[in-house]
Each structure stands twice: as structure tokens, then as C-alpha cells.
Amino acid sequence: MDITDHLRCFLQSQPPAGRYLVAYSGGLDSHVLLHALSRLGLNLAAVHVHHGLSPNADLWSEHCLAVCKELGVPCRVSRVQVTAAGNGREAAARAARYAALELALGEGEMLLTAHHQDDQAETLLLMLLRGAGVAGLAAMPPLRRFAAGWLARPLLDLPRDALRHYAQAHGLSWVDDESNFDTSLDRNHLRHDLLPRLRQRWPAASRAMARSAAHLAEAKELLEELAAADLARSGGSRPGTLSVAALGQLTPARRRNLLRYWVRGQGLPLPDSVHLHRVEQEILPARPDAEPHVAWPGAEVRRYRDDLHALAPPAPVPAAELPWTADAPLALSDGRILVAVPAAGLGLSAARCAGARITVRFRAGGERCAPVGRGHSHELKKLFQEAGVPPWERERVPLLFVDGVLAQVVGYWICEPFAAAAGEAGLDCRLADIASRDENNDNCPGPRA
């Protein structure tokens, strides 16, 4: 089947898109993809990411613009800055590239990349050598959600030779990125040194490895379905948490499968096997009154009572007292915003706050509050325990003081005698960090204050 016909069949089997956007590097693979798609009469555009890493980068951009002009395809050049981080320049360039592609993709559009069968084989081998699990060994899916639309890889079933034959048959010209021949990079070492030797002995090696990746993708889908079912039966007392008791009813393999699925569902980086083992060995069997936690870059898992929590490492809270006039939002150092909304009969009494010194603090220990309706004061620690607020959340709750006296525990309680009476002008003081508390079904089990 001709590549153009292959693409037509592929796109007909995928969700419809308002526009197709080709990730166009100027190399052979993406040029073939762009050229073949341009023959299908689609609403087509291209984006070229200028990494600025090669002295030839400007020439490549000019080449891409010229090719797109000849094909009648709109082309956008996105310049990015690549800063090598812990995973090296190659990973940093990839992250910058996909960030640019994400910005270029509109609602309901489909990004098309030119990854092919040999790329899939390389990815499988890399994942295997890194000790990846089923999800990693499933390699690259042909279609997945991406930004506001989709990311599709329509050439995964075709070998690199098929693309080269197409390019030669149509007289295409392309650019060669010199970094693709640097065999000190793992993928290039596989491509130029290892895979050719494998194909000498097993000519169909790439096709066989791509087939294995497809089998593993099916296994991954089944594991995710199992995890979703287990998640529905293992929820904790608060949204987004897991019940430690319920986890204890699962077999170890099934429990680890659920933990990975749950962490990924929170939008957090997955733990490696060492940290996952620590969650099982250190957190799950801990005493309910203990406060164990296991952290890895970008995420941590904590336990409070029977609930297991997965969260991003919180930003530190201010140590100093913050003055606040309450007539303008107060930006906290961790990105949250404190606002005071005028409201009759709600929040703090506006009369008591008028002319008073209002300050914002965070827990130092020993604070007391007499919540409205309770009649007498209680230690804040006891109130938080009664409300089931995990210890790491308590230290992040803003405390409003009026002339040095605790008046409100934001998100939880108004303290006597500062509550606005029915019909009285009040100040409804609350956090306004993009309404995250409401979107998370409100982590506060007590009355909102």
C-alpha cells in the first residue's frame, strides 16, 4: 500500500480533527509524512521547532519554510530555549519541543509525528535496558490525548526503508541533523551500532519488536482497566485518597498496579520500584497515628489514619507575619491568594475589623479558637484532629489575627467573638487559588469559614 493510502486509512480510523498539525523537523521522516499528507486535501499545517542547538538551525528553519511554501502548507517556526537538566540535553530538548508543540495545537486538533516502526523498536529496547515495566515497554501508542487535542503516530507500522523509498521516488530533499549520528547518545548507539547487527541475524527484528510493543500495549490497557476497577473499590474517606485497609486486601502485584495507576491519575511522576517498595513496606503497615511519608522527585505519598495521600511536594509557607488590609487580595508565597469578599451575615464582622490591625500567620503551636456555636475555646490542634485534617495540611492553613487575637482559621472556622451576625456586614475571607478547594470537593470536612 502506498504511504498516502496508508495515511488515508489511518486517519479514517481515528477521531475527526478540525486541523492536522505536522511536527516537521525537516528530516527525511517528517518530510515524507508532510508530503504524503499534503496530497489528501486536509486542513493541514506544520510546525518546526527551532532548538538553537546546531549552527545549522537557522538553515533548517529556512528549508522547512521553503518546503511548506512549495506544498502550500502553512508553517510556523517555534523557537525554544533548551537548558540541560539532570536528564541531559537530549531529554531537555525533547521536553522543550513537546512544550512548543502543545502550545501550537488548538482545541480538537491532531498533532501528527513521523515516528515509524524502527523508532518503535528503538524505544522498546531503550525501555528494556532501563528496566521499565509494562507501560514503558508498550513504547509509543499510535494515538493519545495531547494538550487540547490528540497526538497521532500514523507511521508506526512502516519501516524506515519504506519512508526512504517514498522520498527517493518523489525526489524529496531533507536535512540531516548531525546530532542524529552522535553514537554517544543511547538511541543513536542502538540505531547505528546495535540494531544493524541484530538485523544481520534477524532481518525482521524491528517488525518483531514493534509487534511485541503492541502486545504489551494491550496488556497495559488490561492492567489499567483492572486498576480502575480496584480504585473504585479502594477509595479513602477523602477525595483522591486510597484506603490503606482496602489496599491490604489486594495481592501485592495488584496493589502495586493500583498504586501506579492512582499516582499517575493525580498528575504526578511515577515512583520507581524502590520507592514503590518503600510505600508498601514503610507506609502501609505503619500505625494509624504515625506520619510516614515517601518522597521522590516531584511527588510524595503520605498517610493519615486510614487514608493514603499522593501529592506534589508543597511549597514552604511564610515564616513571618503578613500584614493585610483585606481590601485587596494578598498573594502568599506558595501561589495561593487570600481574598476578602463583602457578604452580609458571613465571615468576619466588618465592624470589628474596621480600623483594626489584620495579620496573617501560620501555625506555630499553642493557638486556640472558639468556633461559632461551640461555646468555649479549643486548641487548634484538637480542632484539626476532630475535623480529620492531615498534619501536613494544618501548617498551610492561613490564620487571620485581628489586633493580635485569632479571628479566623481560613477554610474552617470563625472564632468568637469575630463572626458577623445575621444581616451584619461581613468579610468572607477565603483562599482563591483558582478555586482548587472547590474543584477538589473541598478538603475541609467542617464548615467553610
Side-chain angles (χ1 to χ4, degrees):
M1 180 186 294
D2 177 78
I3 288 181
T4 303
D5 292 333
H6 172 88
L7 291 171
R8 181 183 292 108
C9 292
F10 176 88
L11 294 178
Q12 287 173 349
S13 68
Q14 306 305 322
R19 185 179 70 148
Y20 296 92
L21 185 67
V22 176
Y24 182 37
S25 69
L28 183 149
D29 303 339
S30 60
H31 193 163
V32 167
L33 176 63
L34 179 68
H35 184 274
L37 287 169
S38 71
R39 304 167 69 190
L40 295 179
L42 304 170
N43 182 10
L44 187 66
V47 59
H48 172 78
V49 179
H50 187 303
H51 298 87
L53 297 176
S54 169
N56 298 312
D58 289 337
L59 294 176
W60 297 341
S61 295
E62 293 171 6
H63 170 85
C64 291
L65 290 170
V67 168
C68 287
K69 182 178 181 180
E70 182 180 344
L71 294 174
V73 176
C75 181
R76 166 182 171 180
V77 175
S78 295
R79 292 178 176 267
V80 299
Q81 184 173 358
V82 177
T83 303
N87 292 328
R89 192 175 74 166
E90 188 179 15
R94 182 182 185 279
R97 178 166 63 255
Y98 274 91
L101 294 172
E102 183 174 341
L103 289 174
L105 195 68
E107 182 77 29
E109 297 180 348
M110 184 176 289
L111 176 68
L112 300 168
T113 68
H115 295 105
H116 46 71
Q117 192 177 85
D118 295 79
D119 292 323
Q120 188 77 310
E122 293 165 7
T123 301
L124 175 64
L125 279 176
L126 280 172
M127 292 296 102
L128 189 63
L129 293 169
R130 293 171 184 169
V134 172
L137 295 176
M140 297 179 288
L143 181 75
R144 69 175 176 89
R145 281 286 185 183
F146 181 74
W150 300 90
L151 188 157
R153 300 179 175 96
L155 303 178
L156 282 182
D157 291 337
L158 301 179
R160 180 179 283 116
D161 283 347
L163 275 62
R164 185 172 295 277
H165 292 155
Y166 180 99
Q168 292 170 344
H170 291 85
L172 305 185
S173 61
W174 58 89
V175 299
D176 284 318
D177 184 343
E178 64 274 5
S179 69
N180 288 336
F181 301 94
D182 179 3
T183 54
S184 68
L185 301 176
D186 290 343
R187 184 176 288 274
N188 290 341
H189 174 64
L190 289 177
R191 180 177 301 169
H192 299 294
D193 297 337
L194 182 58
L195 276 170
R197 296 181 64 184
L198 287 175
R199 293 192 192 99
Q200 287 179 359
R201 180 66 178 84
W202 295 282
S206 291
R207 185 166 67 252
M209 284 186 278
R211 187 166 62 248
S212 291
H215 294 325
L216 287 160
E218 287 189 359
K220 172 177 174 284
E221 186 176 343
L222 290 173
L223 289 172
E224 288 178 346
E225 289 180 7
L226 177 63
D230 286 339
L231 180 62
R233 293 189 290 265
S234 304
S237 66
R238 306 178 82 194
T241 64
L242 291 177
S243 164
V244 172
L247 286 169
Q249 301 301 310
L250 301 175
T251 63
R254 192 162 171 174
R255 180 169 57 241
R256 287 190 291 272
N257 182 53
L258 172 55
L259 287 169
R260 292 190 193 95
Y261 181 83
W262 170 64
V263 169
R264 186 169 59 248
Q266 304 293 315
L268 299 169
L270 287 174
D272 58 24
S273 56
V274 172
H275 288 92
L276 194 60
H277 179 75
R278 287 186 56 200
V279 170
E280 290 191 285
Q281 298 300 313
E282 298 175 21
I283 296 185
L284 298 187
R287 302 187 318 274
D289 60 343
E291 298 178 17
H293 85 284
V294 172
W296 59 93
E300 60 184 33
V301 169
R302 293 177 177 266
R303 175 179 175 177
Y304 180 59
R305 298 177 178 171
D306 185 54
D307 287 342
L308 202 64
H309 300 251
L311 56 153
V317 296
E321 183 178 72
L322 304 173
W324 188 34
T325 62
D327 58 359
L330 177 66
L332 304 178
S333 60
D334 59 3
R336 297 178 298 170
I337 298 174
L338 192 61
V339 297
V341 180
L346 289 178
L348 298 176
S349 165
R352 283 190 170 272
C353 294
R357 181 173 180 265
I358 302 175
T359 56
V360 179
R361 306 179 197 170
F362 293 86
R363 286 192 67 210
E367 298 88 356
R368 300 182 69 86
C369 173
V372 174
R374 294 288 290 264
H376 55 279
S377 70
H378 302 264
E379 289 186 1
L380 209 50
K381 177 180 179 180
K382 296 295 185 183
L383 291 173
F384 279 136
Q385 287 175 339
E386 289 178 10
V389 181
W392 61 89
E393 289 185 8
R394 301 172 195 172
E395 63 190 29
R396 297 174 52 76
V397 176
L399 309 178
L400 300 187
F401 287 77
V402 176
D403 286 335
V405 180
L406 180 59
Q408 180 177 355
V409 182
V410 176
Y412 294 91
W413 305 282
I414 302 292
C415 307
E416 294 283 13
F418 294 95
E424 180 187 2
L427 295 174
D428 184 10
C429 302
R430 57 182 186 243
L431 289 169
D433 54 342
I434 321 177
S436 65
R437 289 179 63 83
D438 291 336
E439 289 172 1
N440 290 325
N441 298 308
D442 193 359
N443 286 336
C444 167
R448 200 182 90 166

